[in-house]
Amino acid sequence: MPPSPLILVADDEPAIADALLYALRSEGLQAEHCLLGAQALERVRGGGVDVLVLDVGLPDLNGFDVCRRLRGFSDVPVIFLTARNDEIDRVLGLELGADDYVTKPFSPRELVARVRARLRRAAVPAAAGTDAGDGWLERGEFALDRGGHRIRYRGQALDLTRYEYVLLDALLQRPGAILSRAQLMDRGWDSDADSGDRTVDTHIKTLRAKLRAAGAEPDPIRTHRGLGYAIEA
């Protein structure tokens, strides 16, 4: 039997950390705790961590700095845990590569549910295989041929423009994760002349129309107001 997923909690408040560790372990998950951002980076670099629950207000490095450094060598899912609730903080965290954002006070059960959601979504690429060995990778109802820049939905090839392909490919690489407009633009926009929030929104609109025409009901692309977009594959 494979080992249970390992959740690393980086938080310097003992009461919160203890409650989280208890809740995670009660659900059959492995859980470890560290107090500092540098310790979290070192532990993730050592391997075996499946989700990082990361407090923004750590004593040595703030969570944003930890996430920025982490994304230089790991794509482990990150759930920010913080007392801050300003939209700018949420957007910054997501732009740095976080997958979710929980504000204090919170329910440990809610946090465990979010952890399990991240584990399910992270397992999608690992479970995806090739279609008859021809290079197609499955993502739920979608199939991607990244080498050939092609995407199919329920076996039907989608006639996508360059930017529609870039957006859909970026979303499908991390199903369920919210990607900000800035993150999406970084994937394929060449110049400022072609970029901007409205430009992303326009291409998302045309992409949704093509998915509807291919039978995608309900709409798999979710809008998270003030944050960005996510896809349920």
Side-chain angles (χ1 to χ4, degrees):
M1 180 179 296
S4 299
L6 174 61
I7 315 305
L8 178 62
V9 176
D11 195 303
D12 66 328
E13 296 185 52
I16 290 177
D18 289 346
L20 284 179
L21 294 173
Y22 177 81
L24 291 164
R25 290 166 180 164
S26 296
E27 292 293 323
L29 300 167
Q30 299 183 76
E32 294 182 8
H33 176 224
C34 61
L35 295 169
L36 303 176
Q39 293 173 341
L41 290 169
E42 181 179 359
R43 180 62 186 86
V44 173
R45 195 182 292 275
V49 175
D50 295 288
V51 175
L52 171 61
V53 178
L54 177 62
D55 184 23
V56 169
L58 295 174
D60 58 339
L61 301 169
N62 69 48
F64 298 138
D65 289 336
V66 173
C67 190
R68 183 183 294 108
R69 298 185 189 187
L70 183 70
R71 285 297 174 247
F73 64 87
S74 174
D75 59 357
V76 64
V78 173
I79 299 176
F80 270 130
L81 184 62
T82 179
R84 302 182 185 184
N85 196 28
D86 291 340
E87 179 179 308
I88 188 170
D89 290 327
R90 298 199 304 273
V91 172
L92 176 58
L94 294 168
E95 287 183 349
L96 290 173
D99 297 88
D100 207 346
Y101 206 106
V102 181
T103 56
K104 304 173 185 177
F106 63 92
S107 161
R109 286 187 177 183
E110 177 192 359
L111 195 283
V112 171
R114 289 177 182 254
V115 166
R116 288 203 175 278
R118 298 315 323 160
L119 290 170
R120 286 195 300 271
R121 290 162 182 167
V124 171
T130 60
D131 179 10
D134 61 0
W136 287 89
L137 297 176
E138 297 177 356
R139 298 287 189 273
E141 301 279 10
F142 294 85
L144 297 85
D145 173 15
R146 302 198 75 199
H149 296 90
R150 297 178 295 171
I151 300 178
R152 298 192 302 221
Y153 180 78
R154 294 180 180 174
Q156 178 179 338
L158 298 173
D159 182 16
L160 304 176
T161 66
R162 171 193 168 186
Y163 290 128
E164 289 167 353
Y165 171 83
V166 166
L167 291 172
L168 186 53
D169 177 70
L171 292 169
L172 287 170
Q173 292 312 303
R174 299 176 66 189
I178 302 172
L179 299 184
S180 68
R181 291 173 178 83
Q183 285 178 293
L184 292 169
M185 286 189 289
D186 285 344
R187 299 298 182 98
W189 266 255
D190 291 331
S191 67
D192 292 338
D194 290 329
S195 65
D197 286 358
R198 294 301 117 199
T199 301
V200 172
D201 294 343
T202 298
H203 289 296
I204 288 288
K205 181 178 180 180
T206 60
L207 177 56
R208 280 173 161 155
K210 291 182 179 181
L211 289 172
R212 280 197 305 272
E217 292 288 348
D219 184 4
I221 300 176
R222 303 291 178 84
T223 300
H224 295 264
R225 194 169 302 279
L227 299 177
Y229 297 97
I231 195 165
E232 299 295 338

